[in-house]
Amino acid sequence: MDEFLEVGQTWYVLDYKWYESWKDYSNYADSASNFGKDDPGVIDNSQLLEEDGSLKEKIVEDINFATVPERVWHMFVKCYGLANGQEPIPRPVIKMGTFTKVTKIELYPLPLLLAHYKHPTDGKLERCSVAMTIGELKVKMRKLYKIVEEAEVKLVGSYTSAEYDKLDDDSLTLEEANLQPRQFVVIIQKDGAIWPKLDTYKKTTASCFTSSTKASTNGTSAKSYSSSNGFSSSYSNGSLSSSSFFSSSSEKAGAPGLCGLRNLGNTCFMNSSLQCLSNVPTLTKFFLGDAWKKDLNSKNPLGMKGEIAETYADLMKAMWSGKNSSVAPKYFKGAVGRFAPRFSGYQQQDSHELMAFLLDGLHEDLNRIKKKPYVEVKSTDGKTDEEAANQAWQDYLARNDSIIVDLFHGQLKSTVRCPDCKNESKTFDPFCYLSLPIPPKKTKKLKVFFVSRDLGQLPVKCRVKVPADGSIADLCKSVADKFDVSANKLVAAELYNSRFQKIYKDQEFVRGIQDRDELYVYEVDEAEGQMPVVVYFKETPTKSYQTARNLCIPSIISVPVDVTYDDLYDIINSRQQLVNSEEAMAYLSNNHNADIDQRNGLQHHLNGVDIVDKDMGGDVDRDMGGDVGSEKEEPMDICSSPKATDQPQIFDITLVSQYGYSQSNGLPYTGSLGLKPLNYLAVEFDKGLNVVRADDAFDVKEDDSLYDSQSEPGVTLEDCVQLFATEEELGKHDTWYCPVCKDHVQAFKQFALWKLPKYLVIQLKRYKSSMSSYSYYRDKVDTLVKYPVKNLDLTPRVIGSQTNSKYLYDLVSVSNHFGGLGGGHYTAYARNHDLDQWYYFDDSSVSAAAENSVVNKSGYLLVYERHE
């Protein structure tokens, strides 16, 4: 939505695929003609919600969800409705950050356990905006515990059974007070003229934590706490024990550096980055001593007032003390959020972005240049590359001099060449990390549900290999080869919540299909004069305000081009397996007083079927009535008319939208229906009919290809470096002004390594976006990159004047990302320098790791150390 955020507004969260369907329908986005598109139907946010109705964690905007302003939400609900049993998901617009403020939608309110000091076991879990002040929280707790206004009260924040923080400043926001998810806030009431003694606070907090530990043991209260805040997977068993914030005394402390980091709510990305840097020995040694204090530059206007350096140093000392098995980086997270609000709150972020911010923040906080001089950009005309590079480096050092520059900064040579006059421009720029592209795959494996026309077979979930730049026709050929069917008989479609999102055209590319998409390939039959139609099987609601629910996976079946209502009924009835013959006979006898001949006729159709259908395939000629997947006609303007026969029927057939929602158009009971290929129909069984409700209505058979352990060839890190250094042409919208031609041209650009640092940080560019003629899409590259653990030799790649220097590196740490764009989890591998042993860090968990496990498909961020 083209609307600015303003503090105080309320925006609403809704399913992204529904939103995209609405944009297609309304032609909101610039795209090909959308004439004839079906409306998106009711808003269904079920994919965004946990079972208790709370918002799922680790969902990503513009992939899983979209947000719209309040007026738009009400318009949507008025026009399309909201799925039964679902509540709206409103979210406030607030200011976040302290020194750098941004306006954001608060997706996840802060869950706090509130308690009264006299009744510590009666804790109440409440979700509060981080923009709420301590004073407002105090008012809220007064009302909650019915404390009169005249009574003096204080708030105490408890992190462990033995520690607490006084929350005295009513003007601070919860963010500024650094309150964390699921911590206790206790309200203390003055008893006459006397405040309870310090020991009372400690007893109260101890009771709180004891109560929560018992709750997590009995499996009741802990579950309710966990389910109501949206962070259930970040905390084992939903426990609210003291170990959620600091090391538990019952846990065995590890060796220095073998210290986990507590997940504070989707902070695995931060924990992964911190573990990677923690195991950079030179940097950690610098912070464990007092040397960093001499460089502290708290007045640097580009810095973080020294807070990033101070909180990072405190965290390193806690992690390397050898006294803690795990710690909570809450003060560090608070400092980061104050200066970089994009990292405040509790949404999943990127480990590379956090590390880039942290290295820059540490650099500016520890910059030895107290007053940065103005440095004029000097001409490089007439200078050799060595002279130009040295001049650029000295100019950079005149304003930037820190431990981070000493250890992590290198220099790149960038050459831009005019394609017409061959004029070249060379620059030498500093870098703190290298972002390396991953060579594209030649093939792609897609997860597919194959639905056979054989009524006795379950859909088969499998993986098939297709060309990376292949088409849907290539996909159908791969599926056809696997299941020994004809590719011409296959129709590919994307389903979502058991509804058709789209039916693909053969010429569409597969590159936009992602692993989370529900891709179905239906087998239909070729027959003269037949065409495919889509059929939903629905349960008629028992109440007027309810909508019909899908009973099984929708089908694509074949019908004659000139099919009548009675013929269509017979075709569907012969294929449906949701009502057995005995039930249908009894129902018709009781409700329609059918004569014996009619019941015998029905018995011929039902034929004793009593299991749930999984495919309901049919016969179709792909060449009849237009190509499968061709542009749909407008919905037919057909009026209902009396049935052509008095034969009793157990279900009605209606014309519906693409998503299975009812339309105003009925089907005529006489003459040809005038259906078009791939019209959408719904079968709704009569009220009171006992429809078979088997648990396996949506079951599938899993093929061995899903678990194919055959290793992919992958690519090497050298391949990535080679691609990084390859000359490329700039895009049409990224032109360069040539001073010789005096025109903007599509120039050629090339990078080269000039100077490399002691510690080399490499980001593997696993996220990509692309535009096809049909859509814009983003995807994750899951190619295995084989990066060396020892002796990475970049000497041949460095073209600087240090010809006698060797650039040999050993791997220090790896940040891993598991999952796709719509979620996932970060962990880290790191080599403990003191123990010379690899370890695996998964939030608070630390375990020994084999060296051969460090190289994996999830490797995303690499830190290398240069040989001395």
Side-chain angles (χ1 to χ4, degrees):
M1 284 292 163
D2 299 326
E3 186 165 323
F4 293 108
L5 296 176
E6 293 184 10
V7 175
Q9 289 179 335
T10 298
W11 284 53
Y12 286 77
V13 180
L14 75 163
D15 184 271
Y16 185 69
K17 288 197 173 184
W18 185 94
Y19 184 55
E20 284 290 287
S21 300
W22 171 79
K23 287 199 295 186
D24 284 346
Y25 171 66
S26 65
N27 204 18
Y28 173 82
D30 293 331
S31 60
S33 174
N34 292 309
F35 183 74
K37 286 274 186 181
D38 289 314
D39 74 69
V42 300
I43 301 168
D44 186 354
N45 288 330
S46 58
Q47 295 296 308
L48 303 178
L49 303 172
E50 301 284 6
E51 289 184 4
D52 67 337
S54 62
L55 192 64
K56 287 182 178 179
E57 58 178 295
K58 297 182 181 179
I59 56 176
V60 180
E61 191 166 12
D62 294 336
I63 293 178
N64 306 108
F65 73 93
T67 54
V68 294
E70 187 170 19
R71 61 178 183 82
V72 176
W73 170 259
H74 289 311
M75 179 194 72
F76 281 164
V77 173
K78 182 178 179 181
C79 294
Y80 307 105
L82 182 63
N84 291 327
Q86 292 185 17
E87 296 292 331
I89 311 173
R91 290 295 184 263
V93 178
I94 64 172
K95 283 281 188 187
M96 299 188 76
T98 302
F99 297 100
T100 303
K101 289 189 176 290
V102 296
T103 304
K104 291 178 62 174
I105 297 172
E106 186 178 31
L107 197 62
Y108 296 105
L110 178 66
L112 297 173
L113 189 63
L114 309 181
H116 190 282
Y117 83 109
K118 286 188 176 180
H119 310 285
T121 59
D122 185 24
K124 301 180 185 299
L125 189 65
E126 296 285 337
R127 282 177 276 186
C128 308
S129 170
V130 295
M132 175 185 283
T133 65
I134 296 297
E136 291 168 339
L137 179 60
K138 192 179 293 183
V139 171
K140 180 182 182 74
M141 294 185 69
R142 278 182 182 274
K143 293 180 180 178
L144 197 61
Y145 292 102
K146 298 180 173 59
I147 301 175
V148 296
E149 279 189 42
E150 294 76 20
E152 291 187 58
V153 295
K154 293 180 180 179
L155 298 187
V156 172
S158 298
Y159 301 106
T160 72
S161 59
E163 299 186 29
Y164 65 91
D165 286 339
K166 293 181 180 179
L167 304 174
D168 293 334
D169 191 341
D170 286 357
S171 66
L172 289 180
T173 65
L174 303 189
E175 180 186 19
E176 292 166 341
N178 203 30
L179 298 189
Q180 298 299 318
R182 300 185 179 186
Q183 79 163 77
F184 284 89
V185 176
V186 180
I187 190 165
I188 311 293
Q189 186 174 349
K190 193 173 185 180
D191 187 5
I194 303 173
W195 287 103
K197 294 182 179 180
L198 179 64
D199 288 344
T200 305
Y201 296 176
K202 292 184 176 180
K203 289 178 181 178
T204 298
T205 57
S207 297
C208 287
F209 284 106
T210 301
S211 172
S212 67
T213 304
K214 290 179 179 178
S216 67
T217 303
N218 65 32
T220 54
S221 299
K223 183 177 180 182
S224 66
Y225 293 151
S226 173
S227 65
S228 61
N229 57 50
F231 299 112
S232 56
S233 70
S234 298
Y235 298 85
S236 60
N237 300 324
S239 173
L240 294 169
S241 66
S242 61
S243 61
S244 294
F245 293 95
F246 284 91
S247 312
S248 170
S249 58
S250 63
E251 294 183 58
K252 184 179 179 181
L258 303 187
C259 178
L261 294 171
R262 296 287 174 179
N263 193 312
L264 304 179
N266 283 337
T267 57
C268 58
F269 74 96
M270 181 180 70
N271 294 345
S272 175
S273 295
L274 286 171
Q275 295 290 5
C276 286
L277 283 184
S278 169
N279 285 278
V280 173
T282 309
L283 183 65
T284 297
K285 183 179 179 180
F286 177 78
F287 277 102
L288 292 181
D290 291 330
W292 67 273
K293 294 181 180 179
K294 299 176 183 178
D295 292 344
L296 193 62
N297 188 349
S298 58
K299 295 183 179 180
N300 183 357
L302 298 180
M304 317 295 168
K305 301 185 183 298
E307 287 192 33
I308 296 298
E310 289 172 343
T311 54
Y312 183 79
D314 290 342
L315 183 58
M316 290 301 103
K317 289 175 181 177
M319 293 173 66
W320 286 84
S321 68
K323 299 177 181 179
N324 302 310
S325 60
S326 64
V327 297
K330 58 190 182 68
Y331 295 114
F332 174 80
K333 182 184 183 299
V336 169
R338 285 194 289 276
F339 293 97
R342 67 183 181 276
F343 295 119
S344 61
Y346 305 99
Q347 289 179 250
Q348 182 69 283
Q349 303 288 345
D350 183 275
S351 66
H352 168 250
E353 291 181 5
L354 189 281
M355 183 179 287
F357 167 80
L358 177 54
L359 289 174
D360 184 63
L362 291 175
H363 159 61
E364 294 294 358
D365 273 359
L366 301 172
N367 199 338
R368 303 178 187 113
I369 307 297
K370 305 303 180 183
K371 185 176 181 181
K372 294 190 176 187
Y374 171 75
V375 177
E376 184 178 355
V377 178
K378 301 177 181 68
S379 172
T380 59
D381 293 344
K383 291 184 173 66
T384 64
D385 282 357
E386 286 77 10
E387 292 171 337
N390 184 62
Q391 175 183 291
W393 187 250
Q394 294 305 316
D395 288 348
Y396 181 68
L397 292 182
R399 292 173 55 85
N400 302 276
D401 182 18
S402 71
I403 184 68
I404 303 302
V405 173
D406 297 343
L407 299 181
F408 293 94
H409 286 205
Q411 194 175 28
L412 289 175
K413 176 186 176 182
S414 174
T415 304
V416 182
R417 177 174 58 85
C418 177
D420 300 323
C421 70
K422 311 306 179 187
N423 173 53
E424 289 186 346
S425 172
K426 300 176 183 179
T427 56
F428 295 86
D429 302 309
F431 72 89
C432 189
Y433 56 86
L434 292 178
S435 292
L436 300 185
I438 300 175
K441 287 182 178 180
K442 294 182 180 179
T443 60
K444 178 176 183 176
K445 286 186 176 180
L446 292 177
K447 181 181 67 181
V448 172
F449 296 86
F450 172 67
V451 184
S452 170
R453 70 183 184 89
D454 185 344
L455 299 180
Q457 293 187 19
L458 289 171
V460 179
K461 184 180 180 181
C462 62
R463 285 193 184 275
V464 294
K465 187 181 293 186
V466 296
D469 291 325
S471 65
I472 293 297
D474 295 319
L475 168 66
C476 289
K477 184 179 185 307
S478 295
V479 173
D481 291 343
K482 181 172 182 61
F483 293 98
D484 194 24
V485 296
S486 172
N488 292 329
K489 297 180 180 181
L490 300 180
V491 178
E494 179 188 350
L495 271 65
Y496 184 63
N497 281 348
S498 299
R499 302 186 187 101
F500 279 84
Q501 281 296 119
K502 68 179 297 184
I503 295 179
Y504 287 100
K505 300 178 181 179
D506 284 349
Q507 64 269 32
E508 288 187 68
F509 292 110
V510 299
R511 67 170 71 103
I513 299 175
Q514 301 182 26
D515 199 55
R516 66 176 180 271
D517 293 336
E518 296 180 24
L519 182 61
Y520 281 74
V521 176
Y522 288 87
E523 182 190 15
V524 293
D525 204 0
E526 289 185 344
E528 188 69 27
Q530 302 245 333
M531 64 179 177
V533 294
V534 177
V535 180
Y536 287 95
F537 290 84
K538 293 179 172 289
E539 178 183 44
T540 301
T542 57
K543 298 180 180 179
S544 60
Y545 61 84
Q546 295 177 331
T547 56
R549 192 172 64 86
N550 290 335
L551 291 168
C552 60
I553 296 170
S555 299
I556 298 179
I557 66 173
S558 297
V559 299
V561 173
D562 58 351
V563 67
T564 65
Y565 188 95
D566 285 345
D567 290 339
L568 179 62
Y569 180 92
D570 288 342
I571 293 170
I572 294 175
N573 199 22
S574 67
R575 285 163 169 76
Q576 71 83 19
Q577 300 188 20
L578 294 165
V579 178
N580 61 45
S581 58
E582 291 80 7
E583 167 66 22
M585 293 288 289
Y587 175 78
L588 292 175
S589 177
N590 293 335
N591 292 278
H592 297 280
N593 195 25
D595 60 41
I596 198 69
D597 291 331
Q598 290 171 330
R599 281 184 274 124
N600 285 340
L602 179 63
Q603 179 70 39
H604 172 72
H605 287 303
L606 290 172
N607 198 25
V609 175
D610 59 2
I611 62 172
V612 176
D613 177 23
K614 300 296 185 304
D615 46 68
M616 290 167 264
D619 301 328
V620 65
D621 186 343
R622 287 171 71 97
D623 297 322
M624 293 303 297
D627 294 335
V628 172
S630 61
E631 185 175 346
K632 300 188 294 295
E633 299 288 335
E634 286 189 273
M636 298 172 295
D637 185 15
I638 306 172
C639 298
S640 299
S641 58
K643 292 185 179 182
T645 176
D646 291 331
Q647 178 176 329
Q649 298 179 335
I650 60 173
F651 57 78
D652 289 323
I653 310 169
T654 58
L655 193 68
V656 294
S657 72
Q658 173 182 338
Y659 308 104
Y661 299 114
S662 298
Q663 294 181 330
S664 59
N665 310 87
L667 289 174
Y669 294 114
T670 59
S672 172
L673 296 179
L675 296 177
K676 302 294 183 183
L678 295 175
N679 271 152
Y680 295 87
L681 305 172
V683 168
E684 289 195 23
F685 292 91
D686 285 359
K687 293 180 180 180
L689 188 63
N690 186 25
V691 179
V692 173
R693 302 293 303 277
D695 292 335
D696 61 351
F698 294 91
D699 267 6
V700 297
K701 177 183 177 182
E702 292 191 341
D703 185 72
D704 291 341
S705 59
L706 288 172
Y707 310 101
D708 185 4
S709 59
Q710 182 178 359
S711 60
E712 297 183 21
V715 299
T716 66
L717 190 61
E718 170 63 23
D719 295 331
C720 299
V721 175
Q722 173 65 40
L723 185 57
F724 172 79
T726 301
E727 185 179 64
E728 63 175 351
E729 186 178 15
L730 298 178
K732 293 180 180 180
H733 302 292
D734 188 23
T735 57
W736 173 69
Y737 182 78
C738 176
V740 176
C741 298
K742 299 189 183 305
D743 193 14
H744 290 275
V745 296
Q746 273 187 261
F748 290 89
K749 188 172 185 177
Q750 186 173 26
F751 290 111
L753 305 178
W754 186 267
K755 179 199 297 285
L756 293 183
K758 178 177 177 61
Y759 292 99
L760 179 62
V761 178
I762 295 175
Q763 178 210 17
L764 300 175
K765 298 174 71 173
R766 291 202 175 276
Y767 306 104
K768 67 177 183 179
S769 58
S770 185
M771 178 75 74
S772 71
S773 57
Y774 291 95
S775 62
Y776 168 82
Y777 67 92
R778 293 186 291 169
D779 199 4
K780 181 183 176 184
V781 180
D782 62 355
T783 303
L784 171 64
V785 178
K786 299 175 183 178
Y787 39 88
V789 176
K790 295 181 178 178
N791 298 318
L792 168 64
D793 190 0
L794 293 175
T795 307
R797 290 287 177 186
V798 180
I799 65 172
S801 59
Q802 307 93 341
T803 53
N804 296 325
S805 299
K806 288 288 186 181
Y807 289 93
L808 287 173
Y809 288 86
D810 289 341
L811 191 63
V812 171
S813 54
V814 180
S815 173
N816 309 297
H817 179 258
F818 300 92
L821 287 176
H825 181 59
Y826 286 93
T827 65
Y829 285 106
R831 181 172 60 87
N832 185 287
H833 184 267
D834 296 339
L835 302 175
D836 193 25
Q837 165 70 43
W838 282 94
Y839 289 89
Y840 184 64
F841 298 87
D842 185 356
D843 287 334
S844 59
S845 172
V846 182
S847 57
E851 185 176 293
N852 59 10
S853 66
V854 173
V855 181
N856 65 94
K857 290 179 66 173
S858 300
Y860 172 51
L861 195 60
L862 315 175
V863 181
Y864 278 94
E865 180 181 26
R866 185 179 172 186
H867 290 190
E868 293 293 344

